[in-house]
């Protein structure tokens, strides 16, 4: 079993929908959580960074961390066709220099 | 803002040849990470360096080696290349305990 699980999708939604992307993890030591967006053949682009539990909002994006359930989410409001990409979660524990990635969820926002 | 710079962007090598990938981190970042991403795969952690010392090691083959230099740039050396080494190689950098930013990657093709 992988340390970080993520539904690979693809997930297709109409333009303007609210998108919910999720990752579960098994290592309770993880404290640093990130969401990246990756377009085909490009480097992952950092969207959100959260330390420990709680919510964080940035524009149309909201990241949630529930450490008790070992579950993190990324919400995208008013989704746009330009949001079509692969979304990767990544996380690491304290004192380590290794981010563990989920497999990525492919999102398609239909115009 | 300065980003992580990787060179070359594309590289074609023959089997059993050697390749060197370079990574220039964001200024004042002291940690460098190397990842390998095969087609349709999530990024797999290879190795990381903090303050020029190896800090974590992942699934890096013995044929590969890496180091971080005094100016914090890093090089990934790959010898006896195999067809299966064809992939996108990403470098990321961070300041200690902060989020990691990725470069645009080097696409290595082994023929």
């Amino acid at each position: 079993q992988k340390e970080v699980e993520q539904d690979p999708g693809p997930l297709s939604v109409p333009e303007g929908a609210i998108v919910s992307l999720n990752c579960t993890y098994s290592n309770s030591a993880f404290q640093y959580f990130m969401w990246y967006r990756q377009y085909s053949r490009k480097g992952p682009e950092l969207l959100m960074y959260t330390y420990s539990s709680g919510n964080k909002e940035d524009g149309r994006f909201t990241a949630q961390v529930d450490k008790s359930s070992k579950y993190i989410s990324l919400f995208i409001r008013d989704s746009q066709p330009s949001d079509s990409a692969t979304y990767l979660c990544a996380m690491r524990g304290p004192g380590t220099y290794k981010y563990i990635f989920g497999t990525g969820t492919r999102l398609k926002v239909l115009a | 803002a300065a980003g992580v710079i990787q060179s070359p962007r594309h590289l074609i090598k023959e089997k059993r040849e050697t390749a060197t990938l370079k990574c220039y981190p964001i200024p004042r970042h002291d940690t460098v990470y190397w990842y390998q991403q095969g087609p349709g795969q999530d990024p797999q952690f290879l190795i990381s360096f903090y303050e020029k010392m190896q800090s974590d090691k992942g699934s890096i083959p013995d044929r590969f080696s890496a180091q971080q230099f005094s100016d914090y740039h890093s090089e990934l050396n790959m010898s006896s290349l195999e067809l299966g080494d064809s992939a996108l190689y990403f470098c990321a950098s961070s300041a200690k305990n902060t989020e990691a930013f990725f470069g645009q990657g080097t696409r290595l093709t082994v023929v």
Side-chain angles (χ1 to χ4, degrees), chain A residues 71-92:
Chain A
Y71 188 88
I72 69 170
S73 300
L74 177 70
F75 298 95
I76 307 174
R77 290 182 297 281
D78 187 25
S79 56
Q80 304 295 310
S82 58
D83 294 327
S84 299
T86 297
Y87 290 79
L88 296 148
C89 64
M91 50 197 80
R92 73 172 176 88

Side-chain angles (χ1 to χ4, degrees), chain A residues 31-63:
Chain A
Q31 282 188 347
Y32 303 90
F33 304 93
M34 278 136 292
W35 285 96
Y36 290 90
R37 176 174 62 195
Q38 187 174 27
Y39 295 108
S40 181
R41 299 181 174 220
K42 301 290 187 182
E45 172 193 0
L46 180 68
L47 288 176
M48 301 289 282
Y49 170 69
T50 310
Y51 169 69
S52 194
S53 281
N55 294 358
K56 187 173 183 179
E57 188 173 322
D58 184 1
R60 296 186 295 114
F61 299 94
T62 299

Side-chain angles (χ1 to χ4, degrees), chain B residues 70 74 77 79 82 103:
Chain B
S70 57
S74 179
N77 297 292
S79 62
E82 302 173 357

Side-chain angles (χ1 to χ4, degrees), chain B residues 28-86:
Chain B
R28 291 180 294 282
H29 280 193
D30 49 23
T31 307
V32 166
Y33 315 79
W34 285 98
Y35 284 82
Q36 177 191 58
Q37 188 175 31
Q41 305 292 316
D42 53 299
Q44 295 295 310
F45 174 74
L46 293 177
I47 196 166
S48 62
F49 293 87
Y50 168 64
E51 283 291 348
K52 294 156 278 185
M53 299 287 288
Q54 181 182 307
S55 50
D56 258 303
K57 196 171 183 180
S59 50
I60 183 169
D62 292 340
R63 300 177 288 107
F64 294 7
S65 65
Q67 58 181 321
Q68 187 179 28
F69 294 85
S70 57
D71 63 352
Y72 293 96
H73 94 273
S74 179
E75 295 182 4
L76 177 66
N77 297 292
M78 310 159 71
S79 62
S80 303
L81 287 169
E82 302 173 357
L83 295 178
D85 296 329
S86 296

